[in-house]
Amino acid sequence: MHAWPASEVPALPGQGRDLRIHDTATGGRVTLAPGPVARLYVCGITPYDATHIGHAATYNAFDLVQRVWLDTKRQVHYVQNVTDVDDPLLARALATGEDWTALAERETALFREDMTALRMLPPRHYIGAVEAIPGIVPLVERLRDAGAAYELDGDIYFSVASDPHFGEVSGLDAEAMRLLSAERGGDPEREGKKNPLDPMLWQAARDGEPSWDGGSLGRGRPGWHIECVAIALDHLGMGFDVQGGGSDLAFPHHEMGASHAQALTGAHPFAKAYVHAGMVALNGEKMSKSKGNLVFVSAVRRAGTDPAAIRLALLSHHYRSDWEWTDAVLDEAERRLARWRAAVSRPDGPSAEVLLEQLREALADDLDSPAALAAVDAWAAAQENGGGTDEGAPGLVSRAVDALLGVAL
C-alpha cells in the first residue's frame, strides 16, 4: 500500500532540541534521545469514515514529533497501518450495500488526499492489515505454541497472564480495563475465556465475512492488536522510540499490543514512550464515528477553507488536551493565517533568530504548539509596528513555520 507525497521540509540554521514528551506509561515527561534514525509507529485509520477533525488532530501531533526530530538532523523511520478489514468496516459495508474492499479503498484514498492537503509528512511504510496477514499468522502460531495463547471454539485468544508487564502502559485497574474492553471492541463477557480481558488474536471464519488461510490456525482473519504488532516488529523492531495514537488507544489497543510483543520476544518494553493525543468534541460530545457527530477535513476543504488554516486550528490546542471544534476556532485560525502571510510578505522585518529558538524550545517542551503560535504572533505584531529592517527575517520566519509547524506561508 502506498502512502502520500511528502512536502519539502525547509532547512533551518542551527539545530533543534531533543524532545521532552509526556509518556502515558510513566505518567510523566521523558526526554527522547533516539539514535541517528528515530523510530515512530502511529496507529492508522479503519477506513469507513475518513478523515474527521479528530483524526487530523492526532496525525498533526505526530507530524510535529517528526518535524522536531528532523530539526535535530536525525532521520525518521515512520510506520503507519490501515485497518482495512475489521468489524466496523464490514458493518458499514453491509449497511450501505457496498463491497467492503471498495469502501476501504475509497476512504483510504480520501485520507491520503487530506493528509497531503494538510502537509502531514508521510510514513516510510504504510501497511494494510490485509497485506500484513502473511506476517501475522506465524506470530499467532508462536504465541499459541509457547502457551501464551489458547483456542476457544476455533478462535485464538491471547492470555494476558503470559506477560508480567501487562497493565503498565495504561496503568488502569482490572475493573476499569473490563469496562473499556467492552466499549472498545473487546468481549469480556464471552464464556470460556481464561481472563475476561484476553483479546482475540485470530477470529475463525464466519459465514458471509472475508477470511484468509491461517495455516494451522485455520481460515479466519486477525485481531486488531496483533495487526499493529506484526507491522511494527517487522519494520521497526522492539524498543522503538514512540508508539502513538489517540488517547482512546492507550487501552486496550496499546496495552494489548505491548503485551503481545513482549510475550513474543521476551524483551521489554515494546516502545520507549507511549504518546497519546487528546479527543476533539463537537457540540459537547467527543467526535466519533459511532455517534456520527463528525466534521470531515474534506468537507471543510470543499467549503473553501485553506488547509493551512485547518492546520493552524489544530495547532492552537495542545496535542494532549481535549477540546471542541467550533466555527470560532476556525475563524481565528483564518485570521491568524492572514496576519502571518501579510507579515512575511514585506521585504524586511524584526530579526527572526530569537523566534526560531522560541519555536524550537516550545515544540521540544511536549509539543507546546500554542506557545509556538504565540511566538509567531508576537513577531507578526512587531512587524506590523515596523519593528525591524532585517531583510532576511521574513524568509526565515516563513521557512521556520513551514519546517517546524507544517504551515506554508
Side-chain angles (χ1 to χ4, degrees), residues 197-264:
L197 297 175
D198 290 347
M200 192 178 292
L201 292 167
W202 186 258
Q203 178 178 292
R206 271 47 165 183
D207 290 341
E209 294 187 2
S211 62
W212 289 264
D213 180 11
S216 68
L217 306 174
R219 289 196 66 82
R221 56 185 170 93
W224 177 29
H225 316 304
I226 192 66
E227 165 198 345
C228 284
V229 170
I231 294 169
L233 289 179
D234 185 32
H235 294 286
L236 298 175
M238 282 294 286
F240 57 92
D241 296 291
V242 169
Q243 164 83 78
S247 59
D248 55 348
L249 296 186
F251 188 90
H253 190 47
H254 291 167
E255 189 74 72
M256 299 300 183
S259 284
H260 291 357
Q262 288 154 188
L264 277 164

Side-chain angles (χ1 to χ4, degrees), residues 133-134 136-138 140-142 144-145 150-157 200-206 209-223:
I133 288 174
I136 293 172
V137 169
V140 178
E141 291 175 325
R142 280 171 50 192
R144 180 200 59 193
D145 295 346
Y150 57 94
E151 182 178 341
L152 178 59
D153 299 330
D155 299 328
I156 307 296
Y157 280 87
M200 192 178 292
L201 292 167
W202 186 258
Q203 178 178 292
R206 271 47 165 183
E209 294 187 2
S211 62
W212 289 264
D213 180 11
S216 68
L217 306 174
R219 289 196 66 82
R221 56 185 170 93

Side-chain angles (χ1 to χ4, degrees), residues 4-10 63 67 116 118-122 402 406:
W4 52 93
S7 57
E8 183 179 355
V9 179
D63 189 71
R67 291 173 183 277
T116 302
L118 293 174
R119 298 173 66 81
M120 304 291 184
L121 299 174
D402 189 348

Side-chain angles (χ1 to χ4, degrees), residues 73-272:
K73 314 308 179 188
R74 292 180 170 95
Q75 298 178 48
V76 179
H77 190 168
Y78 173 30
V79 179
Q80 188 181 134
N81 72 304
V82 183
T83 304
D84 55 357
V85 60
D86 199 15
D87 289 340
L89 173 66
L90 299 178
R92 175 62 59 85
L94 181 64
T96 60
E98 185 173 7
D99 178 78
W100 67 272
T101 57
L103 173 60
E105 289 171 2
R106 186 185 72 246
E107 294 298 323
T108 302
L110 180 57
F111 177 75
R112 292 189 187 99
E113 292 175 14
D114 290 332
M115 293 297 99
T116 302
L118 293 174
R119 298 173 66 81
M120 304 291 184
L121 299 174
R124 183 184 300 184
H125 298 287
Y126 193 50
I127 312 293
V130 172
E131 66 182 296
I133 288 174
I136 293 172
V137 169
L139 298 189
V140 178
E141 291 175 325
R142 280 171 50 192
L143 287 168
R144 180 200 59 193
D145 295 346
Y150 57 94
E151 182 178 341
L152 178 59
D153 299 330
D155 299 328
I156 307 296
Y157 280 87
F158 176 75
S159 175
V160 296
S162 65
D163 175 31
H165 298 284
F166 176 72
E168 290 183 359
V169 173
S170 63
L172 299 173
D173 61 34
E175 181 58 25
M177 288 183 182
R178 184 173 180 136
L179 291 173
L180 287 176
S181 177
E183 291 176 11
R184 298 174 178 174
D187 56 358
E189 303 304 321
R190 183 172 181 179
E191 293 185 4
K193 292 171 62 173
K194 293 182 178 180
N195 184 313
L197 297 175
D198 290 347
M200 192 178 292
L201 292 167
W202 186 258
Q203 178 178 292
R206 271 47 165 183
D207 290 341
E209 294 187 2
S211 62
W212 289 264
D213 180 11
S216 68
L217 306 174
R219 289 196 66 82
R221 56 185 170 93
W224 177 29
H225 316 304
I226 192 66
E227 165 198 345
C228 284
V229 170
I231 294 169
L233 289 179
D234 185 32
H235 294 286
L236 298 175
M238 282 294 286
F240 57 92
D241 296 291
V242 169
Q243 164 83 78
S247 59
D248 55 348
L249 296 186
F251 188 90
H253 190 47
H254 291 167
E255 189 74 72
M256 299 300 183
S259 284
H260 291 357
Q262 288 154 188
L264 277 164
T265 65
H268 175 266
F270 181 42
K272 294 176 183 175

